[in-house]
């Protein structure tokens, strides 16, 4: 597991923004690919992977039900449409 990725779900992180989600996705893709920064010929694939992981993370956080959390609206401040 990537030690620099912090827990993004409540109550560990009461409010999570898109920057937090993207940072976690970037760390994951870096770990899996073995590249801190991709070469020019891999940049597009790397960025697509970061965006896909970030979107999956947003969906996960939106769908998680934290018991005792009140069942309120999603806790991250996403700007997705």
């Amino acid at each position: 597991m990537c030690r620099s990725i912090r827990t993004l779900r409540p109550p560990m992180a009461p409010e999570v923004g898109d920057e937090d989600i993207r940072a976690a996705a970037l760390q994951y893709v870096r770990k899996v690919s073995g590249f801190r920064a991709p070469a020019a010929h891999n940049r597009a694939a790397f960025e697509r992977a970061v965006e896909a992981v970030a979107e999956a993370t947003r969906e996960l956080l939106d769908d998680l039900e934290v018991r005792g959390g009140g069942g309120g609206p999603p806790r991250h401040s996403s700007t997705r449409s």
Side-chain angles (χ1 to χ4, degrees):
M1 178 167 183
C2 299
R3 294 176 191 214
S4 58
I5 297 176
R6 64 185 184 89
T7 302
L8 298 179
R9 72 161 179 81
M12 306 302 275
E15 189 170 319
V16 176
D18 282 340
E19 287 182 22
D20 300 310
I21 292 171
R22 181 161 169 66
L26 178 59
Q27 287 298 334
Y28 176 81
V29 172
R30 284 176 173 167
K31 185 69 162 184
V32 170
S33 70
F35 297 117
R36 183 176 185 326
H41 63 277
N42 286 326
R43 191 166 297 129
F46 193 89
E47 285 300 317
R48 280 193 308 271
V50 170
E51 290 307 314
V53 171
E55 181 60 25
T57 302
R58 281 184 204 95
E59 290 177 15
L60 174 63
L61 292 174
D62 284 345
D63 292 345
L64 282 178
E65 179 182 328
V66 179
R67 292 189 180 197
R75 289 178 174 81
H76 72 80
S77 55
S78 174
T79 56
R80 74 177 177 172
S81 357

